[in-house]
Amino acid sequence: MDVPSLGFVYHGFAFLSMFLVSWWAFRKNSLRFFSQNGWAKYNSLQFFLLTWGIMVWAVVPTILSQHSLSLLFASDENSVSSIQLLLVFGLSTLAFLAGRSQSKKLDVNSGNLQPNPSLVVILLYFVIRFLFLISYEIWFRGYFLDDLTSIFSIPVAIGINVFFYALLHILGGQKEALGSILFGVILCLMVVYFGNLWTAIIIHLSISFGYEASFFAKKLKTGIEKLE
């Protein structure tokens, strides 16, 4: 990817500010919209976290770079082979199944998950969450990784990228942080291999969709069964 350097001063600000906002949300039991501990205590803080990520990871760096986002999504190759597409499809499917598997561990009938947020709040969450995950990849596997590879070898650049990726996930627990290491390496390798971001975005959206959509589908099914 031919993307101009943002400079590591900005990268440090983007990461540190997002980590601090995440830590604040964690302290207020609002790091996740829902989890085994129930709904976020403060939806406004959860939405602020997501919006802040969109701003510092996508909007601001794109303005500072003075380049179109198309540079981050354009392929370095003339065409994508069917084998490459099959690889993306396979990894996306595995990511979806992994997310759904984690969702099944949540007890939708838990008292912590009652009462449910309104439909408007849930829909708003999905929209902002969708934009947040795209922004996540634009910075982590886009601007940040690209600037790292301009200075370090690819293995070292990926190692640094994944270290900070896992560090951000440490607030979600040790198991989540460890899981993010393998996931982060896969996303970095896909971006380096394809020369663009769309692969990482699709895979990341797949695991999130598998987790969150499966949870709400189970909630909906449980609600219907109670009415019968």
Side-chain angles (χ1 to χ4, degrees):
M1 293 179 293
D2 183 20
V3 182
S5 172
L6 286 171
F8 288 101
V9 172
Y10 179 80
H11 290 315
F13 162 76
F15 178 85
L16 182 60
S17 66
M18 193 62 197
F19 185 87
L20 290 176
V21 172
S22 298
W23 179 80
W24 177 30
F26 169 75
R27 295 285 294 176
K28 295 294 184 178
N29 296 320
S30 302
L31 182 62
R32 298 285 185 265
F33 187 57
F34 63 88
S35 67
Q36 66 272 15
N37 297 320
W39 301 107
K41 187 174 182 180
Y42 302 104
N43 283 333
S44 58
L45 181 52
Q46 165 66 193
F47 288 154
F48 174 75
L49 184 156
L50 297 176
T51 303
W52 184 256
I54 294 170
M55 292 299 298
V56 299
W57 282 343
V59 177
V60 174
T62 299
I63 294 174
L64 291 178
S65 71
Q66 299 180 342
H67 280 67
S68 168
L69 280 177
S70 62
L71 285 176
L72 290 170
F73 292 92
S75 176
D76 292 339
E77 305 293 335
N78 293 327
S79 61
V80 179
S81 69
S82 57
I83 295 179
Q84 289 174 323
L85 288 176
L86 186 61
L87 174 62
V88 175
F89 176 78
L91 289 175
S92 298
T93 300
L94 289 175
F96 175 84
L97 294 175
R100 189 176 69 171
S101 175
Q102 289 299 311
S103 177
K104 290 181 178 180
K105 297 178 181 179
L106 295 177
D107 180 11
V108 298
N109 295 316
S110 169
N112 294 328
L113 292 167
Q114 302 292 338
N116 299 339
S118 68
L119 179 60
V120 172
V121 171
I122 293 174
L123 292 176
L124 180 61
Y125 166 75
F126 269 104
V127 171
I128 300 179
R129 175 72 172 166
F130 176 81
L131 296 174
F132 171 79
L133 291 176
I134 293 176
S135 302
Y136 207 121
E137 291 306 320
I138 285 175
W139 183 74
F140 253 109
R141 256 63 67 169
Y143 291 115
F144 186 38
L145 181 60
D146 191 75
D147 282 351
L148 286 172
T149 55
S150 68
I151 299 176
F152 304 102
S153 65
I154 289 178
V156 173
I158 291 177
I160 295 173
N161 186 280
V162 172
F163 169 78
F164 283 102
Y165 183 58
L167 184 61
L168 192 62
H169 280 271
I170 197 68
L171 294 174
Q174 183 178 12
K175 185 176 180 180
E176 179 177 323
L178 291 175
S180 69
I181 294 176
L182 176 59
F183 191 62
V185 169
I186 291 174
L187 294 180
C188 286
L189 290 175
M190 292 297 288
V191 169
V192 171
Y193 176 54
F194 280 86
N196 56 54
L197 277 177
W198 67 267
T199 52
I201 290 174
I202 289 176
I203 295 171
H204 205 152
L205 287 175
S206 295
I207 194 170
S208 180
F209 184 76
Y211 180 74
E212 293 163 348
S214 296
F215 169 80
F216 282 108
K218 188 162 56 172
K219 285 288 291 181
L220 178 61
K221 180 180 179 181
T222 301
I224 293 175
E225 289 174 348
K226 287 182 178 180
L227 293 175
E228 293 178 347

